[in-house]
Coordinates of all heavy atoms in Angstrom, one line a residue:
G1469 N 21.5 101.6 -77.1 CA 22.1 100.4 -76.9 C 21.0 99.2 -76.4 O 19.9 99.6 -76.2
F1470 N 21.4 98.0 -76.5 CA 20.7 96.9 -75.9 C 21.5 96.4 -74.6 O 22.5 95.8 -74.8 CB 20.6 95.7 -76.9 CG 19.3 94.9 -76.8 CD1 18.6 94.8 -78.1 CD2 18.8 94.5 -75.8 CE1 17.5 94.1 -77.9 CE2 17.6 93.7 -75.6 CZ 16.8 93.6 -76.8
F1471 N 20.9 96.8 -73.4 CA 21.7 96.7 -72.1 C 21.1 95.6 -71.3 O 19.9 95.5 -71.1 CB 21.7 98.0 -71.5 CG 22.6 98.2 -70.3 CD1 23.9 98.8 -70.5 CD2 22.2 97.8 -69.2 CE1 24.7 99.0 -69.4 CE2 23.1 98.0 -68.0 CZ 24.3 98.7 -68.2
A1472 N 21.9 94.7 -70.8 CA 21.5 93.6 -69.9 C 21.8 94.1 -68.4 O 22.7 94.6 -68.1 CB 22.2 92.3 -70.2
L1473 N 20.7 93.8 -67.6 CA 20.8 94.0 -66.1 C 20.5 92.7 -65.6 O 19.3 92.3 -65.6 CB 19.9 95.2 -65.6 CG 19.8 95.4 -64.2 CD1 21.2 96.0 -63.7 CD2 18.7 96.3 -63.8
L1474 N 21.4 92.0 -65.0 CA 21.4 90.8 -64.4 C 21.7 90.7 -62.9 O 22.3 91.6 -62.4 CB 22.3 89.7 -65.1 CG 22.1 89.7 -66.7 CD1 23.1 88.6 -67.2 CD2 20.8 89.5 -67.1
G1475 N 21.2 89.7 -62.4 CA 21.5 89.5 -60.9 C 20.6 88.4 -60.4 O 19.6 88.1 -60.9
P1476 N 21.1 87.8 -59.2 CA 20.2 86.6 -58.6 C 19.0 87.2 -57.9 O 18.9 88.5 -57.9 CB 21.1 86.2 -57.6 CG 22.1 87.3 -57.2 CD 22.3 88.0 -58.5
N1477 N 18.0 86.4 -57.7 CA 16.8 86.8 -57.0 C 17.2 87.6 -55.7 O 18.1 87.2 -54.9 CB 15.9 85.6 -56.6 CG 15.4 85.0 -57.9 OD1 15.1 85.6 -58.9 ND2 15.1 83.7 -57.7
G1478 N 16.5 88.7 -55.5 CA 16.8 89.5 -54.3 C 18.1 90.5 -54.4 O 18.4 91.2 -53.5
A1479 N 18.5 90.6 -55.7 CA 19.7 91.5 -55.9 C 19.3 92.9 -55.9 O 20.2 93.7 -55.7 CB 20.4 91.1 -57.3
G1480 N 18.0 93.2 -56.1 CA 17.6 94.8 -56.1 C 17.2 95.2 -57.5 O 16.8 96.3 -57.6
K1481 N 17.1 94.3 -58.5 CA 16.6 94.7 -59.8 C 15.2 95.1 -59.8 O 14.8 96.2 -60.3 CB 16.7 93.5 -60.7 CG 18.1 92.8 -60.9 CD 18.1 91.9 -62.1 CE 17.1 90.6 -61.8 NZ 17.4 89.9 -60.6
S1482 N 14.3 94.4 -59.2 CA 12.9 94.9 -59.2 C 12.7 96.2 -58.5 O 11.9 97.1 -58.9 CB 12.0 93.9 -58.5 OG 12.1 92.6 -59.2
T1483 N 13.5 96.4 -57.3 CA 13.3 97.7 -56.7 C 13.8 98.8 -57.6 O 13.2 99.8 -57.7 CB 14.3 97.7 -55.4 OG1 13.8 96.7 -54.4 CG2 14.3 98.9 -54.7
M1484 N 15.0 98.8 -58.2 CA 15.4 99.7 -59.1 C 14.5 100.0 -60.3 O 14.3 101.2 -60.6 CB 16.8 99.2 -59.9 CG 17.6 100.4 -60.6 SD 19.2 99.9 -61.1 CE 18.8 99.1 -62.7
I1485 N 13.9 98.9 -60.8 CA 12.9 99.3 -62.0 C 11.7 99.9 -61.3 O 11.1 100.7 -62.0 CB 12.6 97.9 -62.7 CG1 13.8 97.3 -63.4 CG2 11.4 98.0 -63.5 CD1 13.4 95.9 -63.9
G1486 N 11.3 99.5 -60.1 CA 10.2 100.2 -59.5 C 10.5 101.6 -59.4 O 9.5 102.4 -59.6
I1487 N 11.6 102.1 -58.9 CA 11.9 103.4 -58.7 C 11.9 104.2 -60.1 O 11.4 105.3 -60.2 CB 13.2 103.6 -58.2 CG1 13.3 103.1 -56.6 CG2 13.7 105.1 -58.1 CD1 14.5 103.2 -55.9
I1488 N 12.6 103.5 -61.1 CA 12.5 104.1 -62.5 C 11.1 104.3 -63.0 O 10.7 105.3 -63.7 CB 13.3 103.3 -63.5 CG1 14.8 103.2 -63.0 CG2 13.3 103.9 -64.8 CD1 15.6 102.3 -63.8
S1489 N 10.3 103.3 -62.7 CA 8.8 103.4 -63.1 C 8.0 104.3 -62.3 O 6.8 104.4 -62.5 CB 8.2 102.0 -63.0 OG 9.0 101.1 -63.8
S1490 N 8.6 104.8 -61.2 CA 7.8 105.7 -60.3 C 6.8 105.1 -59.4 O 6.0 105.6 -58.9 CB 7.1 106.9 -61.0 OG 8.0 107.7 -61.7
L1491 N 7.0 103.8 -59.2 CA 6.1 103.1 -58.3 C 6.3 103.4 -56.9 O 5.6 103.3 -56.0 CB 6.4 101.6 -58.5 CG 5.9 100.9 -59.8 CD1 6.1 99.6 -60.0 CD2 4.4 101.3 -60.1
F1492 N 7.6 103.7 -56.5 CA 7.9 104.2 -55.2 C 9.3 105.1 -55.3 O 9.9 105.1 -56.4 CB 8.1 103.0 -54.1 CG 8.9 101.9 -54.7 CD1 10.2 101.9 -54.8 CD2 8.2 100.7 -55.1 CE1 10.9 100.7 -55.3 CE2 8.8 99.6 -55.6 CZ 10.2 99.6 -55.7
K1493 N 9.5 105.8 -54.3 CA 10.6 106.7 -54.3 C 11.7 106.1 -53.6 O 11.7 105.4 -52.7 CB 10.1 108.1 -53.5 CG 9.1 108.9 -54.2 CD 8.7 110.1 -53.4 CE 7.6 111.0 -54.1 NZ 7.3 112.2 -53.4
P1494 N 12.9 106.6 -54.0 CA 14.2 106.2 -53.5 C 14.4 106.9 -52.1 O 13.9 107.9 -51.9 CB 15.3 106.7 -54.6 CG 14.7 107.9 -55.2 CD 13.3 107.6 -55.2
T1495 N 15.3 106.2 -51.4 CA 15.8 106.9 -50.1 C 16.7 108.0 -50.3 O 16.5 109.1 -49.8 CB 16.4 105.9 -49.2 OG1 15.4 104.8 -49.0 CG2 16.7 106.4 -47.8
T1496 N 17.6 107.7 -51.2 CA 18.6 108.8 -51.7 C 18.8 108.6 -53.1 O 18.6 107.5 -53.7 CB 19.9 108.8 -51.0 OG1 20.6 107.4 -51.3 CG2 19.8 108.8 -49.5
G1497 N 19.4 109.6 -53.7 CA 19.9 109.5 -55.2 C 19.0 110.1 -56.2 O 17.9 110.7 -55.9
S1498 N 19.4 110.0 -57.4 CA 18.7 110.6 -58.5 C 18.5 109.7 -59.8 O 19.5 108.8 -60.0 CB 19.3 112.0 -59.0 OG 20.6 111.8 -59.5

Side-chain angles (χ1 to χ4, degrees):
F1470 214 130
F1471 192 97
L1473 178 65
L1474 304 184
N1477 290 332
K1481 302 187 302 297
S1482 296
T1483 296
M1484 191 174 82
I1485 292 173
I1487 292 173
I1488 298 171
S1489 306
S1490 299
L1491 294 179
F1492 39 79
K1493 293 183 178 180
T1495 303
T1496 66
S1498 64

